[in-house]
Amino acid sequence: MGVARLFLFKLILVTSICQYAQSEELSTGQHQIPGYLGQIQAHTPMELESIFQRVDDLLKDDSQYHLNQPLALVLHGEEVRLFLRRNYQDHQSLVDQAARLEAFNAIDIQVCETWLRDANVDKSELPAFVNTVPYGPDREEELLEQGYEYF
């Protein structure tokens, strides 16, 4: 009977600690907000413009968007060409909007190094605000496993 009481006491103690920790997270605003991953399917400038505009609109209405976790955009298709220095003049407004959103920590652009290699493009052709990852589809899978949700 003493073992059962000890077990019950420990169970109540652990439950109380967990409830306290959860209430602290909620009262201090430290609960985990899911990250978002931009779902890119068409690989076109219009698709990126649409995503950037949605993020920009959310950024303007700060009650709905949390800057502590930017929208992850993993690029591994023809849309990468929009960001190349040699194409800047043709896509200046889009690249400038991306740079502004990146500066406000609203997006995090990551480009697939495998795609760069296959397209014979050097990393140095990308703007400084664009990061690279070894393989885009694997990075997307990692983010989803970390609890990211498609945007």
Side-chain angles (χ1 to χ4, degrees):
M1 187 127 168
V3 173
R5 278 188 176 169
L6 182 60
F7 175 76
L8 185 58
F9 174 76
K10 286 181 180 180
L11 182 63
I12 291 170
L13 181 64
V14 168
T15 303
S16 298
I17 290 171
C18 290
Q19 287 174 345
Y20 173 78
Q22 186 177 21
S23 68
E24 276 296 300
E25 285 178 356
L26 292 175
S27 68
T28 61
Q30 294 179 0
H31 58 282
Q32 186 66 12
I33 298 167
Y36 292 99
L37 173 63
Q39 189 168 22
I40 300 172
Q41 297 171 334
H43 304 282
T44 65
M46 287 76 59
E47 184 178 32
L48 284 178
E49 284 174 22
S50 174
I51 291 171
F52 292 164
Q53 191 57 53
R54 285 177 59 199
V55 172
D56 206 14
D57 291 344
L58 289 172
L59 189 61
K60 289 173 186 169
D61 181 16
D62 62 356
S63 64
Q64 294 183 21
Y65 195 75
H66 303 277
L67 296 177
N68 60 345
Q69 190 121 346
L71 170 72
L73 289 166
V74 182
L75 309 180
H76 50 88
E78 288 300 309
E79 73 280 4
V80 173
R81 293 190 189 283
L82 303 171
F83 293 95
L84 301 182
R85 294 182 193 275
R86 63 181 172 231
N87 296 328
Y88 177 70
Q89 229 173 352
D90 295 334
H91 303 287
Q92 181 177 352
S93 63
L94 182 74
V95 174
D96 289 351
Q97 184 179 27
R100 185 174 50 78
L101 291 171
E102 176 84 21
F104 280 103
N105 198 38
I107 63 172
D108 177 24
I109 298 177
Q110 304 169 35
V111 170
C112 177
E113 292 173 6
T114 302
W115 185 92
L116 290 173
R117 197 170 34 257
D118 291 347
N120 202 27
V121 173
D122 192 76
K123 287 183 199 182
S124 65
E125 289 196 56
L126 295 170
F129 68 88
V130 174
N131 302 306
T132 62
V133 294
Y135 186 62
D138 284 353
R139 179 63 179 146
E140 285 184 13
E141 190 61 38
E142 288 171 13
L143 291 169
L144 291 171
E145 288 173 3
Q146 292 174 18
Y148 277 66
E149 300 172 5
Y150 278 117
F151 176 80

